[in-house]
Amino acid sequence: MGVVHGEEMVLNIGPQHPATHGVLRLQVRTDGEVVSQITPYMGYLHRCFEKHSENVTYEQVIPFTDRCDYLSSMSMNFGYVVAMERLMEIKVNDRVEHIRVVMAELQRIASHLLCTGVFGLDLGAFTPFLWALRDRERILDLFELTCGARLLYNYMWVGGLSHDIPVGFVESTFEFLDYFEPKVDELENILAHNKILVERSADIGVMPKDVAISYGVTGPNLRASGVKWDLRKNDPYSIYDRFEFDVPIGEGQKGTVGDCWDRFYVRIIEIRESVKIIRQALASMPKEGDVHQSLPKKIRPPKGSVYARTETPRGDLGYYIESDGSPIPYRVKMRSPAFTALSVLDEIGAGWLLSDVLAILGSLDIVLGEIDR
Amino acid sequence: MIKYFSDIFTAVSTIAGGMFITLTHLVKAKKGIATLQYPEERWPRPERNIGFNSESYNVIRSRLHVDMDDCIGCLKCERACPVDCIKIETAKAPERGEDIKDVKHVGITTNGTRKAMVVTRFDIDMTECCYCNLCTYPCPEECIFMTGGPNGKKHPIDYEFSEPDRSDLIYRFAKPGTKEGMENILNEKSKVEA
Amino acid sequence: MTVDFIFDGLNQLFPAVAGNDFFLIIAMLLPVAALLGFITIYGFGVIYSEIKVSSFIQDKTGPMGQGPGLHAGKWGLLQPVADGIKLFIKEDIIPASADKPLFILAPFLIFIGALTAFIAVPFGEKIIIVDMNIGIFYIIGVGSLAVIALILAGWSSNNKWALFGGMRSAAQIISYEIPAGISLVVVIMLASSLNMQEIIAYQEGGLFNWIIFDNPFMPIVFVIFFISALAETNRTPFDLPESESELVAGFVTEYSGTRYAIFFLSEYANMFVISAVAATAFLGGWQSPFENFLNTPAWSVFWMISKTFFLIFVMIWVRWTVPRLRVDQLMHLCWKVFIPIGLFNVFAVAIWIVVIG
Amino acid sequence: MAEILFWFIASLTVLSAAMVVLNNQLLYSAIALLFTLFGVAGLYIYLWADFIAGVQLLVYIGGINVLIIFGIMLTNRISSVRLSQTNIQQGFGGVIALWLLIIISLVISKTPWYQVTSAEPSSTVREVGTLLMTKYLLPFEAISILLLGALIGAALLSREAS
Amino acid sequence: MMEHIFIHYSLFILFLPLVAFVIQIFFGKRLPREGDWVSIGAISITLVLAINMFVQMLLDYDSDFSVEASFVWLDMGAFNIRLGFLVDNITIIMLLVVALISTCTHIFSTQYLKGDIRYSRYFGYLGLFTFSMNGIVLANNLMSMYMFWELVGVSSYLLIGHWFEKDSAANASKKAFLTNRVGDIGFFIGIMLIYSAVGSFAFTDVFDGVASGVIAGTTLTLAGVGLFMGAMGKSSQFPLHIWLPDAMEGPTPVSALMHAATMVAAGVYLSVRIFPILTPDALLVVAYVGGFTAIFAASIAITQTDIKKVLAYSTVSQLGYMILAVGTGVYTAAFFHLLTHAMFKANLFYGSGSVIHSMHHALHEKHDHETDPQDMRNMGGFKDKMPITYWSMLLSTMAIAGVPLFSGFLSKDAILAGTLSFAMHHPEHFLLPLFGFGAALMTAFYMFRMMFLTFHGEPKMPELIDDIHESPKEMTGPIVLLGALSLFIWYTLPYFNPMSTHGWFTDLVVPKDAVVPGNLSANEIEEGAHHAHYLAMYISIAVATLGILLSWATYIKKAVSADQWSARSGFLYNWSLNKYYFDENYDRYIYQPTLRLADKVAWIDWELYDKYFINGFGRLTNWASKITGKFDYDVIDQLLVDGTGRISNLIGRKFKSIQTGKLQNYVLYVAAGVIILMVIQSF
Amino acid sequence: MDQLNNYLFIAAILFSLGVFGVMTRRNGIAVLMGVELILNAANLNFIAFSRFGGMNLDGHIFGLIVIVLAAAEAAVALAIVINIYNNLNTINVDEASMMKE
């Protein structure tokens, strides 16, 4: 006697599939609908970022960092310039730092909005996704106002910014935040507490603390597993030590700590925390200050290497830059957060149903541009 | 058993709550609509003011444009480009700062710099351009810029530059005939010298 | 009923050749033709409303146009027509490794299922194509044809996504037929008839005589029926068979062009049928909500269609609100929630009928 | 007209029944069975048994046929399109079946059947229900217990041994 | 239909245990305390209702009281079966007995079965049993009685086999079930005989039918004996008594409930109910069966060492008494004894359960799983450790032994008197009173033997005695209650005459004249019994005293050595100890022979018929004529006898290939066969 | 159409086809389909006699019972077939002949 065992089936999810968030291919072994093994195949979006960087000057690397995590370009720029400034020992003025923080946090909101919306879309709720995109558009408007580009900014430069913020930017940002805060509540109400979504995500794809740490998972995914780890608090860079904000962690409110719902909900709380930071940064921003003040005439860092890490919306972003004294970097290595998040997929995704695997994948919030680089 | 019914209750109440939210959106459809009717309505370009003396300073990243009359052929933009989409060839002008009528070369820029080189080829491959804006900063004459740039009044913003033919996206800014004209001039000159 | 009516009419119109078999054929084909026309028009209407309602819910405008030509008509009214034309002139691809006969048969089978169910839907006291004794039973029976069509579509495509979709939908529809059936049993118990018209006649006399207000259990029964109806028509949150983020497009993955259009249309036709059944069984059918007000035959069509469309609107509304369930949760909902509560309702209403009714 | 329709239905029934047993592709057989069942339902309507026809639609087509298709899918390599099967003792079996048909047909045609002409009942549902609850209460209960037993048995058979 | 309030009461009494059963079976595991309170609650309600009915009966005091209600269950045209209730005084008393003992059992079981893995199921089965027992009691016709009869069989099967992990329990349950079936066949035949003659199952119709002579003579006797066979099965009368002692494998409270008080009483109840249709011949059968069982079982009980076995055989013996009483016509006395016996025997079982429980715990403390906790040889001296158990058990023992002032004295006395008077009327049946008094003597002996072995004397296993302690309240409560009910006072209520059976009971359950013509009138016997009463009383007191004294002398005084006696009595002792080898004999003479019959027949065929007859005949004829002999050998033997075998062997081997194991081939053959048959038929 | 014999003939054909299917098919499910044909034939006869033979609605009851029986049979049969498949990895009935000896 026995239940019907479907024959083992190998499914290729992707590289063209609505739920893979890009050109990712998951080779999935299923028994009936139960997934027994997931093998991610990457490289469909490989652009030789690291090799490319060894052939262009230091300032020319910045547009390439934009394209790695195309959903949080500002944060990618930020990480690179932090690394470069450490290497060249440049101290930028407060105005620049404030603007950078505002930009990075706005970017975090935009990225998390997209992630939460797409998570809903993965689970079949279409409407919240469009609402999220609608609000993300407002943030992109602010970026366009600032630097003229909506997606790939090349805004932060080593030692400064490409432009100062325009007149009226602070006001319109405040206006946006006032508009935006109730929208987060709406998003949470329609999505986070919906019984169906809770059923679909709570207790699903649980990533225990130790698994998360041993796989090197960072960012909201790690925090959802209950680890209070945020580089903005734990290893403050820029001026994050000046602001008050909380680091939300997963509490297993609807299920187990570290399940899909926690990962999803941590991002919603982080949106609120980012709003807090932006309000503080805008309020304390110095009115005067030249954003080009410490811009070096020629970028030719001393011989040596640096590793700097920052907190992007997806986790710890690390840049390792080695300089041989020439204007062209000897080596640029990027430690990308979504890559580690994807690598944990087989560990936490095997044994669930096919639908759950896609929910888990959605909750990990990966961006293929950064994984493949 | 209690969990069974409380689950049913939460399901009903949360779904009803969600439906109420969507209903409010449906009812207030007129207010919240975020769509633009594209061909009729255009995306409003944000008017950017950075406090300079120029009243409106647009940094919109659209297609690149070169004011050939001002270009001195210094090759700074070509070097700044991370993707090498700018190709410039120059020829030494017979005389610095002189207009050469045959090839429509203007000898002095609007900034008053006297040009030593005649640009015989200035090609930008817009299919390769990554819109990073890096080429515009080093230009000493501010002659290469994204449209809608500082000289926005001269150049209307446009982002609808799709072309049916891919080769049409290689913008050739050097004036037609410059190359041949310069070759002729240089040949004649060498003949004369010879 | 209608056939006889038309036949008699034709006979009276042409007394010379009365009783001709040809007339009978005409009398049979005419309602079918009318039905096809109705389904087409209804399809355009419901697709348009789906687009528009979803757009407004999502803070969009949906298709808009300033005039005929490029822009799909005023307010995008011609958008469904344009979609339809696009689908019908699109290349119709049959995958090389598909099982060709079954691949072709499947869309027709599902369309037959949807179409034949229409003939028992009452639009008025006399406006019904066939007034069957077992009308409501017949519609449930014919509805089960869709299951086979979906399995065939999924299997014959020779595509894993399609197969998954087909099997899922089959399991889903079979399961949800039970709570839907149980809910209708309650209605049948109250009306003590399987005949659609008699069920409607039972609800005569205004809003509060409708079955949904008959006793305190009926709203629950109605909700169970309605949600089961959502599941039977594969609508969100039960759209697992074609859930795009999981199965690409489920059983229609390999279908394109006209065949896809038929699947599409059948889904909407099934929505209409099931809503019409719900309206008939619970909301008084073609009767006006107010006694002796707007209760003429012409208005009866209006009431029926408006009730049906209201339910369809709710279906659309639900679709754009909630996420999708998982397979096991779907089954859990059916077998552990709906069926026990449905059975409880049957007993409760039976007791109610004996004790109070 | 009705005559033509009758013969059409009858031939549909018989031909698709032949398909059921002669076709070597299982799924085609199942689909042919669907048409046979449809045809039989049509014949029931000619026999004034509309309720039975409805039951036939619901139970046979909606239940049994789907179950059979499920069975086919579950017991074959479903990722391969051809689900064929082979026959045994076809010659001998064919002869026997033919003889059976001939003999039954002889019996049918030779027997002077007792026939009564009765009026078409207006509705069979109510009468059938009444009969089920009175005269045939015991068979009704027995059959429901049988159904329950079959349900439990089938569930037990296909349960994983733990 | 249900005009009388008692019908409503009966409905509740009947169905409440069933409801409890259903709840227990489906939800028992999930309820707090595994749901024993559901069963106890349900059964307590029935007890309250039964007491209410009983009190009303006493207040009304109408000996002809009877209400009846019935409805059609199966309507098959001419043949229809009605179900219904008949409530009269007997029914009410039986209901009270069942409800009371059942309640006690439920309460007792909460402790006795504490921690059992099938605790809730056990209570569920108790509910089912109570339901079916009440069904028997309330039935107004033979058919429904038969149904509940079978249900009782099923539930007793389930309860005896409660610990079915033990092989002995599983076998005992099977044995009980099968043995009962044998009796039920007779029962069913009896029912059908009556139905075929009378055309109805209802008691009233049957009685009317018998009175009007629709059924009479041999048929009636056969029907009566058939019905009585059912009673024999249930009441475990000789020779169907073998299941009851084995049934002691079930939990002790079950033994108390079923095998002492209620289920086995069903047979007696049935005999009482159908008394009017028993012809004199049938009654004689009844009387002899009962009488023999009484003395026979008593003689086994003397030597048993297992405490529960003693009680079991005592039960069989007492039931024999009751049957004897029915047979001799004093069915009032039979029923009276049924009532008193239910009380004191249930109590004895509870007491033994309490002892076993305590022994079991004590053994458990010592981690001794080898010693049998039910063996009396391991007990002794428990008197001070378990005073409540001891005293109440002593009361019941007094009652069963027929000591004056106790209930058993009254009822037994009535039976003995009836028997005596019967024998006076019919001196040729002098054996019946001898059976009665002999059994009484033995009863007194072995019951006190049991008491002495268990509670008096030196502890046989001194290491245990410290761990022996009184059982918890839930167990002692029922014991005390039932012990008190063993006193005479409850049964002679309005008169308080400890020496006379004359009480409320006799007036309520007056014997009705048998309807069978020519039957000896019950009233006549009653009259006789009055005359024989004092004689019977004296003899019985004497006999009881003798038994007790003998027991005392043997086991306390040790004046008489039991071992010596047993050695001296030789085979009698062994027979008694081994229950007259009944099981073995059944096994040897019925089961095994049946199994070996085929062998024997084959053996006869080959060894006797073939070898000696055929061959011998051949040799004989050979001796007479060699040619004839050769012809004989070649033709008769080889060709016809062996040849048939060879040919069938050959055919079998050929046809073996037809059996392919493939169903479809068989279908093909069947179809071909049908065709051939049809073709043949048409020619 | 109004002739009893028509229906009886159709039923006879269905019956013989069903018997043929049962006899010749190797696949267990195909055999099951043959059985369904036989049941349908029987049912058709019931209903036909119900109309023409004066059985009135009793035939309908039997038809109903047969349909229910068929449902139960199909459920159990398929459970068995699936079990056989799980154990033997085939559903050819002639290979499932362990009970031969």
Side-chain angles (χ1 to χ4, degrees), chain B residues 21-54:
Chain B
I21 293 174
T22 43
L23 187 66
T24 50
H25 276 264
L26 179 64
V27 174
K28 295 180 187 165
K30 278 267 187 251
K31 263 175 67 181
I33 277 185
T35 321
L36 283 171
Q37 298 295 317
Y38 165 59
E40 285 83 24
E41 292 176 279
R42 297 296 170 96
W43 201 255
R45 314 312 314 174
E47 289 296 313
R48 189 178 191 280
N49 188 341
I50 56 172
F52 290 169
N53 43 8
S54 54

Side-chain angles (χ1 to χ4, degrees), chain A residues 51-329:
Chain A
K51 191 70 193 161
H52 215 143
S53 309
E54 294 167 19
N55 293 297
V56 292
T57 58
Y58 284 102
E59 64 261 50
Q60 284 176 348
V61 172
I62 297 177
F64 292 123
T65 65
D66 276 344
R67 281 152 180 79
C68 282
D69 185 348
Y70 43 77
L71 295 178
S72 53
S73 305
M74 283 290 186
S75 308
M76 300 305 272
N77 290 354
F78 198 2
Y80 181 74
V81 299
V82 165
M84 280 309 291
E85 281 160 13
R86 260 185 222 172
L87 185 62
M88 297 174 68
E89 289 167 359
I90 298 172
K91 179 89 179 73
V92 294
N93 62 19
D94 263 10
R95 185 172 168 83
V96 173
E97 295 282 26
H98 276 90
I99 293 172
R100 281 180 180 175
V101 165
V102 167
M103 288 302 162
E105 295 307 315
L106 279 175
Q107 185 72 72
R108 191 181 307 278
I109 293 173
S111 173
H112 281 349
L113 270 179
L114 191 79
C115 169
T116 48
V118 168
F119 183 66
L121 185 64
D122 278 346
L123 300 183
F126 202 84
T127 304
F129 167 66
L130 284 172
W131 291 350
L133 280 191
R134 174 200 65 199
D135 297 335
R136 180 171 173 268
E137 281 299 300
R138 300 282 294 255
I139 297 175
L140 297 192
D141 282 353
L142 288 176
F143 287 153
E144 189 181 18
L145 186 66
T146 311
C147 67
R150 297 177 67 82
L151 197 64
L152 308 165
Y153 312 107
N154 187 18
Y155 179 62
M156 298 182 191
W157 281 2
V158 180
L161 304 166
S162 68
H163 312 80
D164 201 348
I165 50 170
V167 173
F169 175 82
V170 177
E171 289 74 24
S172 39
T173 308
F174 272 125
E175 189 190 319
F176 163 72
L177 293 178
D178 293 341
Y179 153 85
F180 177 62
E181 270 171 326
K183 297 288 176 190
V184 185
D185 296 339
E186 198 178 54
L187 193 67
E188 183 179 338
N189 280 337
I190 195 173
L191 214 47
H193 300 296
N194 188 306
K195 182 71 180 162
I196 296 176
L197 188 125
V198 170
E199 285 291 318
R200 280 298 304 274
S201 55
D203 285 329
I204 304 289
V206 179
M207 175 154 57
K209 212 181 258 191
D210 50 339
V211 169
I213 291 171
S214 57
Y215 272 84
V217 175
T218 51
N221 294 334
L222 178 69
R223 289 194 279 277
S225 297
V227 183
K228 217 173 175 102
W229 177 260
D230 191 326
L231 288 179
R232 293 174 295 174
K233 280 275 191 211
N234 295 60
D235 181 11
Y237 55 93
S238 190
I239 50 165
Y240 272 113
D241 45 357
R242 296 189 202 169
F243 303 121
E244 256 179 50
F245 60 98
D246 294 332
V247 178
I249 58 168
E251 289 160 353
Q253 206 172 327
K254 305 275 177 183
T256 325
V257 176
D259 57 9
C260 287
W261 193 86
D262 272 348
R263 287 197 278 280
F264 164 73
Y265 195 63
V266 157
R267 292 195 164 87
I268 285 189
I269 305 177
E270 274 189 23
I271 290 176
R272 298 223 172 93
E273 296 302 325
S274 293
V275 170
K276 249 195 241 173
I277 297 175
I278 295 169
R279 284 193 190 280
Q280 292 173 40
L282 286 178
S284 65
M285 186 189 288
K287 293 277 179 286
E288 294 304 320
D290 184 6
V291 297
H292 294 162
Q293 192 180 24
S294 14
L295 216 57
K297 276 274 169 283
K298 198 161 185 87
I299 302 181
R300 189 187 278 271
K303 217 167 165 173
S305 63
V306 68
Y307 180 74
R309 49 186 188 169
T310 52
E311 182 81 21
T312 70
R314 276 165 197 79
D316 293 9
L317 170 76
Y319 279 105
Y320 172 79
I321 301 169
E322 183 151 351
S323 155
D324 57 357
S326 65
I328 287 172

Side-chain angles (χ1 to χ4, degrees), chain E residues 583-636:
Chain E
D583 286 334
E584 289 81 356
N585 285 340
Y586 273 155
D587 188 50
R588 192 181 299 155
Y589 297 119
I590 297 180
Y591 313 145
Q592 293 300 336
T594 318
L595 290 177
R596 282 201 298 272
L597 192 62
D599 291 346
K600 292 280 192 235
V601 169
W603 186 83
I604 287 166
D605 187 40
W606 279 104
E607 296 294 319
L608 294 181
Y609 179 75
D610 209 42
K611 220 178 245 176
Y612 295 107
F613 187 72
I614 303 282
N615 294 4
F617 188 67
R619 250 179 251 124
L620 194 73
T621 42
N622 196 11
W623 183 67
S625 161
K626 256 200 156 70
I627 300 157
T628 325
K630 205 168 177 55
F631 170 81
D632 199 38
Y633 180 78
D634 284 346
V635 179
I636 305 285

Side-chain angles (χ1 to χ4, degrees), chain E residues 238 241-242 292-304 313 442 571-586 588-589:
Chain E
F238 175 86
H241 66 279
I242 48 168
F292 183 69
T293 310
I295 190 154
F296 164 81
S299 69
I300 296 178
I302 290 178
T303 56
Q304 294 302 313
Y313 279 105
M442 291 192 212
F571 75 97
L572 278 175
Y573 172 76
N574 276 336
W575 277 21
S576 169
L577 184 64
N578 291 309
K579 305 138 198 174
Y580 292 87
Y581 295 104
F582 242 91
D583 286 334
E584 289 81 356
N585 285 340
Y586 273 155
R588 192 181 299 155
Y589 297 119

